[in-house]
Amino acid sequence: FVGELTIEQLLTMLITLSLLLLLGTLATTTADSTFDDAEQRLVERRYRGLKFGTTAQDYVLLKPRMEPLDESYSLCGWLKKIRPGSIKWWFAYGTSSNNEEIRSEDAGYFQTLRTGVNMRSTVTEQLGIWRHVCYTWSLTTRAASVYFDGILLGSGTTTSGKKLGLDGYVVLGNEFDSYGGGFQDVKAFGGELFKVNVFDKELETAEVKEMTDAGRCSDLEEKYGRSRYLKWEDLLLEEKSGNVSEIDVGCTPELTEENEEEPTEEDGEEETNITEECECEQKNGTAFSRWDLLRGDKFFNKTVSVELVEELKQAWDILNDFEGATVTERFIRHFKLFHNGKTCDDFSS
């Protein structure tokens, strides 16, 4: 076959093959670069804080499903108080029947299910300082507890059998005077927030202290897995009203090749365990993972486009950061280890 080609034709073929190989290498490099850039943006975002203005228009409003929290919850976060005095509300949850299902201010007052716990006289006002705050409650203990800087300051007792309402709104930066609104300037938080998470359990005193002692730049909250129901990185994605801006709180890690650690045997064991946790029970003799959804013809080897993101949005809101990347085995491994996705129940139909 080669003998039938002229030297000119052979050279043309070799040049063409070389160009194709070069283009393939460039495409792979670009795809990996796009993924790495998106991963860098994702890590940077989760270490961002929020700074709030001082008017009724400065807030973050959302309406999450609250069923996992109706019998127990813990609201924890790092806050920096900037405005002096009380009634500066940083988190609130209100339903159609009770605007004050949960209210938490930056001076030591906590209210849930119409039970108030006033620890203002115990909390020393410190402006411009990061402090760790936790409010916990459960239907079983009926204890509504206030923690500042890892110390239990006091508790109140809620009504027996009273559960959290489910049809409400959550607001960061103010509190409700009507269903889903009624914000006032005088109640505006006007401070800074970081790593506000809501867990679906009543944290124990030792757990709250451990979280405080680890510091605001730690990743300790991640060990609670799915119990960390409302996550800070998800709250950052919500629409911001008025003067609410993302800020650097000094916790963003540097993702460079120099400080990336080589995987150890322990890391490999951890990856195996995490993978096993993602597996669903066998159906029709076949074991599969909820992440295997991405290996279907609909997604595998497809570019992450706006349309694909919309289809997966409810399962992986974070995919917006990865537009332009290609769904490869590396892509699936990353999400399988680091991001929540569909549950096994999603495969039951």
Side-chain angles (χ1 to χ4, degrees):
F1 172 73
V2 175
E4 298 176 0
L5 297 175
T6 66
I7 296 297
E8 182 179 353
Q9 289 172 325
L10 183 59
L11 287 174
T12 300
M13 180 181 294
L14 290 174
I15 291 172
T16 302
L17 288 173
S18 297
L19 287 173
L20 288 173
L21 288 172
L22 177 60
L23 289 173
T25 301
L26 288 174
T28 301
T29 302
T30 301
D32 285 345
S33 176
T34 301
F35 182 86
D36 291 338
D37 290 345
E39 188 172 27
Q40 174 74 38
R41 292 196 305 271
L42 175 63
V43 171
E44 289 177 351
R45 169 187 286 157
R46 68 187 302 178
Y47 288 98
R48 302 285 285 176
L50 286 180
K51 182 178 178 62
F52 292 79
T54 58
T55 75
Q57 286 73 46
D58 307 326
Y59 58 85
V60 176
L61 182 68
L62 59 149
K63 192 176 184 182
R65 293 183 57 187
M66 299 294 280
E67 284 85 352
L69 309 177
D70 67 339
E71 295 188 5
S72 61
Y73 71 84
S74 295
L75 165 63
C76 299
W78 291 87
L79 62 86
K80 182 186 290 187
K81 182 177 176 62
I82 296 178
R83 303 179 71 189
S86 59
I87 65 169
K88 308 298 184 289
W89 306 94
W90 60 276
F91 183 100
Y93 173 65
T95 65
S96 59
S97 59
N98 181 14
N99 294 330
E100 302 173 350
E101 288 283 287
I102 303 174
R103 292 196 304 166
S104 53
E105 61 157 41
D106 61 6
Y109 184 85
F110 169 52
Q111 181 175 343
T112 189
L113 302 173
R114 304 188 186 280
T115 296
V117 186
N118 187 353
M119 303 308 301
R120 291 169 180 150
S121 62
T122 307
V123 176
T124 302
E125 184 172 271
Q126 296 180 341
L127 301 182
I129 303 295
W130 283 109
R131 307 188 70 174
H132 188 249
V133 180
C134 268
Y135 301 112
T136 66
W137 167 83
S138 80
L139 180 67
T140 303
T141 66
R142 297 168 54 198
S145 302
V146 175
Y147 293 85
F148 256 73
D149 299 326
I151 299 173
L152 175 60
L153 300 183
S155 300
T157 304
T158 59
T159 303
S160 178
K162 182 69 174 176
K163 295 184 180 182
L164 201 67
L166 301 179
D167 68 341
Y169 289 86
V170 165
V171 65
L172 303 179
N174 215 300
E175 63 103 30
F176 299 104
D177 278 346
S178 62
Y179 183 48
F183 307 129
Q184 300 181 33
D185 290 352
V186 69
K187 298 179 179 180
F189 172 48
E192 298 175 9
L193 293 178
F194 182 53
K195 284 196 174 179
V196 174
N197 295 286
V198 184
F199 303 85
D200 65 2
K201 57 175 287 187
E202 180 184 24
L203 293 177
E204 298 179 0
T205 300
E207 292 177 307
V208 175
K209 187 178 188 307
E210 180 186 30
M211 202 175 294
T212 302
D213 291 345
R216 72 178 188 275
C217 294
S218 79
D219 293 326
L220 183 67
E221 67 276 1
E222 293 184 12
K223 80 172 188 177
Y224 291 95
R226 291 172 181 264
S227 284
R228 188 167 66 103
Y229 179 63
L230 296 183
K231 304 178 180 65
W232 177 242
E233 54 267 35
D234 294 335
L235 295 177
L236 286 174
L237 296 174
E238 297 293 336
E239 183 177 355
K240 303 168 183 65
S241 172
N243 183 18
V244 180
S245 58
E246 291 190 15
I247 59 172
D248 184 0
V249 299
C251 292
T252 306
E254 294 295 332
L255 285 186
T256 61
E257 292 183 0
E258 288 76 13
N259 63 21
E260 283 184 354
E261 298 181 0
E262 290 295 324
T264 63
E265 290 185 8
E266 292 181 357
D267 292 333
E269 292 176 0
E270 182 178 356
E271 178 174 338
T272 301
N273 292 336
I274 294 175
T275 302
E276 290 174 354
E277 290 176 2
C278 290
E279 289 179 352
C280 301
E281 63 179 306
Q282 292 192 5
K283 297 183 185 297
N284 299 322
T286 303
F288 58 86
S289 162
R290 55 182 172 273
W291 302 98
D292 291 334
L293 174 73
L294 288 176
R295 291 194 176 91
D297 293 339
K298 191 173 185 179
F299 303 120
F300 195 69
N301 280 331
K302 300 296 191 300
T303 298
V304 180
S305 62
V306 174
E307 291 77 15
L308 184 144
V309 168
E310 286 300 318
E311 292 186 24
L312 289 174
K313 206 165 187 180
Q314 290 187 351
W316 296 292
D317 288 344
I318 212 67
L319 274 178
N320 286 292
D321 269 344
F322 289 84
E323 289 182 13
T326 300
V327 177
T328 61
E329 286 293 336
R330 181 188 176 200
F331 185 98
I332 295 171
R333 275 199 312 273
H334 175 86
F335 276 84
K336 191 169 184 177
L337 289 173
F338 298 112
H339 304 293
N340 289 333
K342 287 183 174 293
T343 66
C344 295
D345 292 337
D346 293 309
F347 290 95
S348 60
S349 58

